Amino acid sequence: MTAVTETDTAGSGRGAQFAGVIQRQGAAVVLVLGIIAAWFAFPRFGSADNLRDLALQGSFLAVIALGMTFVIISGGIDLSVGSVYALGGVLAAYGSQYGLLVAIVLPLVVCALIGLVNGLLIARTKMAPFIVTLASLLFARGLLLALTNEGATTYKVPVGSAFLWLGQGTVFGIGVPVYLALILFAIGGVVLRRTRFGQSVFALGGAEQSALLMGLPVVRTKIALYTLSGTLAGLAGVLTAAYLQSGVTVLGVGTELDAISVVVIGGTLLTGGAGTIIGTLVGVLLRILIQNVINQVGTLDSNYQTVVSGAFLLIVVVIQRLLARSRRS
Amino acid sequence: MFVLLLFNLFFTENFLSAANFRTQLVQAAPVCIVALGMALVIGTEGIDLSVGSVMSVAAALVPLYLGAGPVTAVIVAVIAGVVSGLFSGFLVARLGIQPIIATLALLVGGRGLALVIAHGQLVELHNQDFLALGTGEVAGIPVMVLVAAVLAALAGLLVRRTTFGRHLVAVGGNRPAATLAGLPVKRVLMGVYVISGALAAIAGVLSTARLGASDPNDLGLLMELSAITAVVVGGTPLTGGRVRVLGTVFGALLMQLVHATLIKHNLPDSAAQMVQAAIIVAAVYVARERSSR
């Protein structure tokens, strides 16, 4: 949280403080309660296998949501991540024929470039991030289709390729993507809280004009942000391709919305200026928990997953809003 | 940008036969109808991401009520659209939640709801009266095109000739000023989301009738993006305060024609998408230049 929010809380009474805690930690509280409930309700939930699967599934979305957190804190939005994610996966699978290095570098460079162009357009021409990244959503999906003969070709990762370890390998029984995601979140947290870059991101989201007047590198920060988001989405694609052993073309449709909703559930304000990395992690875990619980219930139509996710997003946002309002008055 | 529009219209007409041209119009009709509502919402500096899911909910409801006659089915579907619009409008106007999030929730949940209603199944429809909505013609003009044209005319009148339209533009232009001036800001906001929901439902019903099947899985997928594109390409700024109804219609037609043109020239879908991306950026860039002057 920013310093501003903290002084707000200190200024008002105990009830408001309590509201502040709920507002910030509400998702975490729900997560803990949800896990406890699921643990007792479904014998299979607590099994090591299931938990391992959960962590692995969450790690791909987590990597994308990390970049999205930065972008949203700066007051922007990146709609292109779903397509870039899919593109990264296809490029990785394609590149894996030429060795491990190509499989990793090629998608990351291309996805970083798409992010860079996003950033340049947004920062230099002052076009709305929403529109610019909407265009690159289409562009990346088009590029992906062109690469795969309109989706007809599926690139497979050669069997025995060292690249597969990135997605399928385990250390102490836990998948490599999980470690990578956790390391990236740790780095992300430090960068956001302890570096000048992180301060600039918060300042941008708080008030762009003031950030400019304060002499912060607004243009450079924006370009870096969208490049970061593109690269992370590409990396998630790389990991997914290594996990699935192929570049799946239909991946990533609607992933940008998933990423945005986990970031928002994690307490990051869409208006920018406030948010935490750890909140996003909680958001991702909640999302995965909801999916898993609905799967465990079994008798429930799996379509309820999206209904519950939508309703949950709504409840979180409404509560955030009502608490913010009650604290102000 | 009008030059670009006209150029494309003439350029494309040369190699499109009348029958083909009609097909293009029919294909553009649902996007156009949804985009009209989107233009009104964007005019208030909002956005409605839920339109695609509302279309799928409307489509899922049709087969359930078709037994009671096509009129009932259409009315129920449109009521569903109005209700979802009321819901989004309530969140935006009363609770002050950002439009993108308020409607995102419905986008995520709505399609799931449609799939739950339809048990995830595609249902074929055989009611001829209903199917006529999608395939029929009146005086040589396809019903879908006619409906889109009438709705566009109504939207134009709404914006230009009614108090609601003037209020809408004022709310989008400067919300605090509109509030201070005593305009019914909340009612205007509710209104635009209800209209957007209703129009999305109508588009869903028409698409269902044209397909001859209710397909809650695929219907309206990414429609929110197509509609926003049409509105933006049509010259309505995302910052609100201005609604270009005619521009929106042209925007929808233009994107459809560009797509068709590229396909006609044997360029694949992938190229079409990349060109569309370029057009969006170009159109917004040009609009930005103009407004800053």
Side-chain angles (χ1 to χ4, degrees):
Chain A
M1 278 289 137
T2 55
V4 182
T5 335
E6 248 136 37
T7 43
D8 275 359
T9 328
S12 31
R14 184 176 289 171
Q17 250 175 26
F18 178 71
V21 170
I22 296 278
Q23 188 183 359
R24 261 172 286 162
Q25 311 301 341
V29 173
V30 174
L31 178 66
V32 172
L33 292 179
I35 289 176
I36 294 172
W39 205 287
F40 285 107
F42 311 106
R44 228 157 33 85
F45 177 83
S47 73
D49 271 347
N50 189 46
L51 294 180
R52 258 202 299 266
D53 277 356
L54 283 187
L56 193 64
Q57 282 162 27
S59 58
F60 306 120
L61 179 60
V63 172
I64 301 174
L66 176 62
M68 187 70 85
T69 311
F70 274 86
V71 171
I72 291 182
I73 290 177
S74 82
I77 200 141
D78 188 349
L79 295 183
S80 68
V81 290
S83 297
V84 172
Y85 168 55
L87 178 66
V90 168
L91 284 170
Y94 171 76
S96 66
Q97 305 163 29
Y98 306 101
L100 177 66
L101 200 65
V102 183
I104 299 172
V105 174
L106 175 72
L108 290 188
V109 168
V110 174
C111 295
L113 269 176
I114 293 178
L116 179 69
V117 173
N118 279 341
L120 280 171
L121 284 173
I122 291 164
R124 297 256 178 228
T125 70
K126 300 209 168 59
M127 284 197 263
F130 192 88
I131 284 298
V132 172
T133 56
L134 171 62
S136 54
L137 178 154
L138 286 174
F139 181 82
R141 184 65 62 183
L143 195 59
L144 164 84
L145 286 174
L147 273 173
T148 58
N149 296 323
E150 308 306 303
T153 312
T154 306
Y155 295 108
K156 290 227 184 300
V157 180
V159 180
S161 167
F163 173 65
L164 290 177
W165 180 79
L166 266 183
Q168 299 181 338
T170 53
V171 177
F172 304 122
I174 297 170
V176 174
V178 180
Y179 290 103
L180 276 173
L182 288 177
I183 292 169
L184 287 171
F185 267 71
I187 297 174
V190 172
V191 168
L192 193 61
R193 297 293 293 274
R194 302 257 177 261
T195 64
R196 272 187 61 95
F197 176 73
Q199 294 302 313
S200 303
V201 172
F202 275 115
L204 258 181
E208 191 172 334
Q209 285 305 320
S210 326
L212 255 175
L213 291 174
M214 278 157 64
L216 291 173
V218 169
V219 171
R220 217 190 318 148
T221 306
K222 276 192 184 173
I223 294 173
L225 276 172
Y226 288 93
T227 311
L228 176 76
S229 175
T231 313
L232 285 174
L235 177 65
V238 171
L239 297 176
T240 309
Y243 175 62
L244 297 174
Q245 290 197 29
S246 63
V248 180
T249 50
V250 294
L251 221 61
V253 177
T255 302
E256 59 281 351
L257 302 175
D258 282 345
I260 294 169
S261 54
V262 298
V263 170
V264 171
I265 286 173
T268 297
L269 297 181
L270 255 187
T271 39
T276 58
I277 295 293
I278 193 85
T280 299
L281 193 60
V282 171
V284 171
L285 292 176
L286 252 178
R287 164 90 205 194
I288 300 294
L289 175 73
I290 293 173
Q291 270 179 14
N292 193 249
V293 164
I294 289 177
N295 284 340
Q296 300 269 352
V297 173
T299 55
L300 215 63
D301 191 335
S302 68
N303 295 312
Y304 278 108
Q305 264 186 25
T306 52
V307 180
V308 174
S309 300
F312 190 76
L313 172 64
L314 203 69
I315 292 168
V316 169
V317 176
V318 169
I319 291 175
Q320 271 182 2
R321 181 71 205 167
L322 292 179
L323 289 172
R325 193 180 279 181
S326 74
R327 279 208 294 170
R328 220 179 303 135
S329 56
Chain B
M1 198 163 75
F2 250 102
V3 180
L4 183 81
L5 273 167
L6 288 174
F7 175 78
N8 260 282
L9 281 171
F10 284 116
F11 176 68
T12 322
E13 225 167 357
N14 284 336
F15 58 92
L16 281 179
S17 65
N20 241 326
F21 192 70
R22 193 183 294 169
T23 314
Q24 301 307 329
L25 283 180
V26 170
Q27 280 181 359
V31 181
C32 185
I33 293 172
V34 175
L36 288 171
M38 187 70 81
L40 298 180
V41 174
I42 289 180
T44 64
E45 213 180 345
I47 200 131
D48 188 351
L49 295 182
S50 71
V51 288
S53 291
V54 172
M55 281 177 75
S56 70
V57 171
L61 286 170
V62 166
L64 296 185
Y65 291 91
L66 210 47
V71 179
T72 319
V74 172
I75 289 176
V76 169
V78 173
I79 287 176
V82 169
V83 169
S84 46
L86 279 173
F87 184 65
S88 304
F90 176 78
L91 294 174
V92 173
R94 298 280 161 190
L95 298 182
I97 291 169
Q98 278 182 309
I100 182 171
I101 278 298
T103 55
L104 173 65
L106 197 56
L107 163 69
V108 175
R111 186 164 300 272
L113 203 62
L115 288 169
V116 170
I117 294 171
H119 304 293
Q121 302 274 313
L122 184 140
V123 184
E124 281 188 38
L125 304 173
H126 301 288
N127 187 317
Q128 290 309 319
D129 290 338
F130 179 73
L131 294 183
L133 277 177
T135 51
E137 291 184 358
V138 176
I141 305 168
V143 176
M144 284 179 78
V145 177
L146 214 58
V147 173
V150 170
L151 290 173
L154 286 177
L157 286 176
L158 183 74
V159 174
R160 287 283 174 79
R161 298 259 181 259
T162 63
T163 327
F164 181 81
R166 281 202 302 279
H167 286 169
L168 189 166
V169 173
V171 168
N174 190 336
R175 176 92 57 95
T179 312
L180 286 177
L183 299 186
V185 174
K186 288 179 179 171
R187 222 181 311 148
V188 169
L189 288 175
M190 290 290 275
V192 292
Y193 287 94
V194 168
I195 293 172
S196 175
L199 288 177
I202 292 172
V205 168
L206 290 177
S207 302
T208 304
R210 178 148 188 270
L211 283 171
S214 163
D215 179 8
N217 271 302
D218 277 349
L219 189 73
L221 214 57
L222 296 183
M223 177 56 88
E224 59 283 350
L225 300 184
S226 306
I228 294 168
T229 305
V231 172
V232 170
V233 168
T236 302
L238 271 181
T239 43
R242 195 196 288 165
V243 181
R244 291 180 172 245
V245 173
L246 202 59
T248 301
V249 175
F250 274 123
L253 284 176
L254 176 70
M255 296 316 280
Q256 174 62 33
L257 288 181
V258 166
H259 196 79
T261 312
L262 291 166
I263 303 255
K264 282 258 158 193
H265 284 169
N266 286 328
L267 277 166
D269 218 28
S270 55
Q273 282 197 4
M274 287 193 265
V275 170
Q276 270 175 316
I279 289 178
I280 297 173
V281 173
V284 176
Y285 189 75
V286 171
R288 184 194 67 96
E289 293 276 280
R290 196 190 294 151
S291 65
S292 64
R293 227 178 278 149

